[in-house]
Amino acid sequence: MSTLASEFISTSENKAFDLDHRRIINNNIGKYDTAVLRGLSRFADLENSKRKAHTIKWKVMENLDKLLPEFETNFQRRGGKVIWANDAAEANKEVLNILKKANAKTVIKSKSMVTEEILLNEFLEHNGVDTVESDLGEYIVQLLGQRPYHIVTPAMHLSKEDIAKLFNEKFGTPVDATPEQLTQKARELLREKYTSADVGITGGNFLISDTGSVALTENEGNARLTTTFPKIHIAIVGIEKIIPSMADLDLFWPILSTHGTGQNLTVYNTILSGPKQPTETDGPEEMYVILLDNGRTNLLAEKDQRQGLYCIRCGACLNACPVYKNIGGHTYETTYSGPIGSIITPHMAGMKEFKHLSYASSLCGKCTEVCPVKIDIHKMLLLNRRDSVKSGLNPGSESIGWKGWKMGMMKRKMMDMFGGGWKNTLLKMFFKKSWGKHRDLPAVAKESFSKQWTDKRENR
């Protein structure tokens, strides 16, 4: 078992029995569930919308080699610059090059999972660049020195009392401050950062191929401020975020917001098509888009599992997953946690290191049911398990055990060779510490079904 897998099991066990953690998560996810259910009821034909979104993303993956260059051409036509990055190291290096060229020392960031993926904040800090998160949830976890807990709600694991205590320690606000007071304090602290930052960095919810635009969606207005005041804007976006046409936002913006938070649309929706034009009064003087691979083409090469790249990061599968709701987001030790993280991380970061995530599922299928782009998530988990076995990554004892089980199941004589007493002893010997640690092991009958059936017929 790998170190990551061992730590995952240990941390999962602790979190699963942390009643305070469970109370906070169930309360917060419960609020989302209520809002999302209400939001989804507004769709005239939800299933058809999901099918259409699935089809569009399928076409995107089949034509990625055409759509990405088209985006690049259209974006550059309006003065923007496109940089292609194979991995996290290249992306970070390119960001640093831009900052050094501009002699930039301060960065303001809006919420971006892809910058978490490449550990951009840590990289910039190591190189002497002051970086501040402007999304309130991201700002809170940054103050705590943590990574985001949830794709949509970074500080979902914290109660309002936890945040009040943090602000009291950091800024001297009252320990019993209300959420409104805490938000006001954060606003006061961040306002000055927007106007003084040298560079603004964002992600991108969608890249629009036919217009060469970056579409951002948010609820706090921080992304809009991040892209307006600084003279340089850098958008770091995964190559899978491309959509063919501006018209596709008519579908993707509503299904993203509704499945994520239950809203018809998020409060702020912005389309950026390059730096400030001569006729415009605000916006950055320079705009860069860094197109990030970082293992995505590994997943694209897997015909059966490339569906994972359809994800629009709504977080619905996390909220639905019984495993996530018990062990929490930090336990996964990945940028993308929950069901979607379990299917894409082994391909993007290494099957050997992260194959255990594909086993962290009850396979109930709820994740597949709620996905707005109809990714067959629980099937992808099974395919990942298959691939890990085919690659010889499962323990030797497991392979021997399954071979023995298969041999016994294929031949009745082998199955009946040992009585129930021996079988119960073998179960306790091999599975008591693992499978039976938190469960009662099944008790095997003294005689097999076939033996009981034979005896019954003979005694008629």
Side-chain angles (χ1 to χ4, degrees), residues 75-257:
F75 184 69
Q76 289 177 336
R77 187 176 290 128
R78 289 179 58 85
K81 299 172 184 176
V82 174
I83 299 169
W84 298 72
N86 289 313
D87 53 31
E90 281 190 18
N92 286 330
K93 181 182 176 183
E94 293 293 348
V95 171
L96 188 60
N97 287 341
I98 295 168
L99 297 182
K100 285 182 175 180
K101 183 181 176 183
N103 197 29
K105 297 296 182 183
T106 56
V107 166
I108 186 81
K109 279 178 72 263
S110 73
K111 184 177 181 302
S112 164
M113 291 306 293
V114 78
T115 58
E116 297 291 342
E117 178 186 334
I118 64 175
L119 302 177
L120 180 63
N121 286 7
E122 292 86 340
F123 175 81
L124 293 179
E125 182 181 349
H126 179 72
N127 284 277
V129 179
D130 181 36
T131 306
V132 177
E133 294 286 352
S134 60
D135 174 88
L136 180 57
E138 290 275 1
Y139 184 56
I140 290 167
V141 294
Q142 185 183 31
L143 291 173
L144 286 168
Q146 297 179 359
R147 300 188 71 183
Y149 180 92
H150 187 282
I151 290 174
V152 174
T153 317
M156 180 181 273
H157 59 304
L158 301 172
S159 65
K160 62 179 184 289
E161 290 79 15
D162 294 329
I163 300 168
K165 181 182 177 183
L166 171 68
F167 273 51
N168 171 259
E169 293 171 355
K170 295 287 185 180
F171 311 119
T173 54
V175 73
D176 58 349
T178 65
E180 291 77 14
Q181 290 172 324
L182 296 172
T183 303
Q184 181 60 37
K185 182 61 179 178
R187 183 180 289 118
E188 292 170 5
L189 293 165
L190 290 171
R191 283 284 172 175
E192 184 271 332
K193 300 291 185 182
Y194 292 119
T195 56
S196 63
D198 299 315
V199 175
I201 297 179
T202 70
N205 295 98
F206 303 101
L207 296 173
I208 306 166
S209 179
D210 68 347
T211 61
S213 306
V214 180
L216 297 170
T217 182
E218 45 147 349
N219 277 315
E220 299 175 20
N222 58 296
R224 191 166 287 183
L225 291 169
T226 298
T227 59
T228 300
F229 285 106
K231 292 183 178 181
I232 299 173
H233 171 210
I234 305 171
I236 309 172
V237 191
I239 57 174
E240 82 282 10
K241 291 298 190 73
I242 200 91
I243 55 175
S245 168
M246 180 79 73
D248 295 321
L249 288 176
D250 184 51
L251 171 66
F252 281 104
W253 264 348
I255 64 168
L256 172 59
S257 57

